[in-house]
Amino acid sequence: MTNNNQRSSAGQPPTATIPPSLIRQCITLHHPKHRCSNEAIEMASEYMRLLIIEARRRAAIEAECEAVAHINPTQADNNDDTMEDDDSANAKKTVEIRADHIAKIAAELMMDYS
């Protein structure tokens, strides 16, 4: 995906796009005799962009749920009166999205987009 360097007319930040040439190559690879107009390629590019954004969002939720489920039991049961530093208690952890997270959401995502 590439970034548009131009701002939209509403002044919003640029959005990432999939190059139409890549979409055209993918369609040609699977359907060599089909011809597509430029508008159809642009539409397919936007559709793929939205699909990727949604897949990333759902996989991130899956990764966060997995991270919460793997809390150390000694940390979860620690209910004594000692106060931790507020910064460390409220700090967000960075969660990595792995291929298995994408695999878990793929079937439902494909059903939603079909």
Side-chain angles (χ1 to χ4, degrees):
M1 292 176 55
T2 60
N3 285 332
N4 269 337
N5 290 331
Q6 301 173 349
R7 289 193 171 260
S8 67
S9 59
Q12 299 198 355
T15 58
T17 60
I18 298 174
S21 60
L22 177 62
I23 298 296
R24 188 175 298 278
Q25 287 176 354
C26 290
I27 292 173
T28 304
L29 180 66
H30 293 285
H31 305 284
K33 294 182 181 182
H34 285 212
R35 296 186 57 149
C36 295
S37 67
N38 289 336
E39 291 84 16
I41 298 296
E42 288 176 19
M43 182 80 75
S45 177
E46 178 65 10
Y47 183 78
M48 288 301 297
R49 185 184 74 82
L50 294 173
L51 181 75
I52 291 168
I53 290 170
E54 184 64 16
R56 183 185 176 276
R57 187 187 70 79
R58 291 185 189 191
I61 291 170
E62 185 69 32
E64 289 171 2
C65 289
E66 182 180 282
V68 168
H70 286 100
I71 292 175
N72 188 349
T74 59
Q75 291 174 347
D77 294 335
N78 189 6
N79 291 331
D80 57 352
D81 292 332
T82 60
M83 295 294 290
E84 294 181 12
D85 185 36
D86 287 344
D87 292 335
S88 65
N90 295 330
K92 277 192 150 184
K93 291 185 178 181
T94 303
V95 179
E96 179 182 353
I97 299 173
R98 298 185 315 264
D100 62 311
H101 298 131
I102 296 170
K104 288 178 183 177
I105 59 98
E108 184 179 350
L109 183 69
M110 290 297 109
M111 287 176 56
D112 289 347
Y113 272 75
S114 62

